[in-house]
Amino acid sequence: WRHRGEKGAHVVRAALGYMQYQADYGVSCPITMTFACVPALEETPSVAADWVGPLTSGVYDARDIPVHAKKGATLGMSMTEKQGGSDVRANTTRAVPLGAHGPGEQYAITGHKWFTSAPMCDGFLTLAHTEEGVSCFLIPRWLPDGSRNVGFKVMRLKEKMGDKSNASSEVEYDNAWGVMVGEPGRGVPTILEMVVH
């Protein structure tokens, strides 16, 4: 996104990605999600202000510390639940406002995600039900005050065939702190901004 609007920028990115994935395609998941999340985050400027800079820095910073202290950050996705599979409207995860509600506001999120991609990331876009319907949230590993988001719990890593260099996991949200991204009840269209990029 640092070359947004430049002619051929996506072609160059695709070519470089293609060459890199010949060595190890496992890294393609977190790299692609980190790139693709920017349009979704930009739907809520207050969230984008804190995250887009580290996500687009071009630097990999593996330290497990708050995003505001990192030189670079990665973002994953956590949508699938056991009962729903690819039908994310059947998800049962719930989000309750911690004060005001709406884009950029704080929520407590409770539920289980059967499949979370790249659990080593600094934050995750996820879907949860609010009074308005399925909404999109950013759940960071660390809170803005520098403390750990103790409500975000990795339950287990998936044992899978094939792509073992890219971790997948099950996670539990036990009143995990998150902020709404996009409009309430418009979580699927918001997260699709990530999916289509």
Side-chain angles (χ1 to χ4, degrees):
W1 296 108
R2 293 179 296 162
H3 301 287
R4 186 181 301 205
E6 292 180 25
K7 186 175 181 181
H10 283 296
V11 174
V12 170
R13 181 181 174 280
L16 290 171
Y18 178 79
M19 289 188 296
Q20 176 185 354
Y21 305 152
Q22 303 309 303
D24 181 2
Y25 58 86
V27 299
S28 66
C29 180
I31 289 174
T32 300
M33 289 188 300
T34 297
F35 173 81
C37 73
V38 170
L41 294 177
E42 287 177 337
E43 291 199 15
T44 306
S46 62
V47 176
D50 292 335
W51 282 82
V52 171
L55 291 169
T56 60
S57 71
V59 174
Y60 178 65
D61 186 341
R63 295 177 296 162
D64 187 18
I65 59 174
V67 72
H68 60 71
K70 295 186 78 156
K71 296 176 183 170
T74 56
L75 200 98
M77 185 185 299
S78 186
M79 293 194 311
T80 308
E81 296 182 11
K82 289 179 189 178
Q83 73 285 349
S86 60
D87 182 4
V88 295
R89 296 167 299 168
N91 287 359
T92 60
T93 298
R94 299 279 177 221
V96 177
L98 295 173
H101 71 281
E105 298 297 340
Q106 302 176 37
Y107 286 75
I109 300 161
T110 302
H112 183 86
K113 295 297 180 176
W114 178 247
F115 194 87
T116 297
S117 300
M120 65 291 216
C121 288
D122 299 292
F124 304 87
L125 285 183
T126 196
L127 297 175
H129 285 275
T130 61
E131 289 183 11
E132 298 86 358
V134 177
S135 302
C136 184
F137 296 89
L138 170 65
I139 298 180
R141 283 189 172 281
W142 294 86
L143 302 179
D145 68 4
S147 63
R148 187 170 288 285
N149 192 352
V150 295
F152 173 81
K153 301 173 181 176
V154 176
M155 303 308 289
R156 75 178 185 108
L157 295 178
K158 296 284 192 177
E159 177 62 39
K160 55 186 187 174
M161 297 172 58
D163 183 12
K164 290 185 181 268
S165 64
N166 176 40
S168 299
S169 66
E170 290 179 45
V171 301
E172 191 78 27
Y173 300 139
D174 182 11
N175 287 313
W177 184 92
V179 292
M180 184 179 281
V181 177
E183 293 297 319
R186 302 281 302 154
V188 173
T190 300
I191 211 162
L192 280 176
E193 284 297 317
M194 181 177 185
V195 173
V196 301
H197 285 94

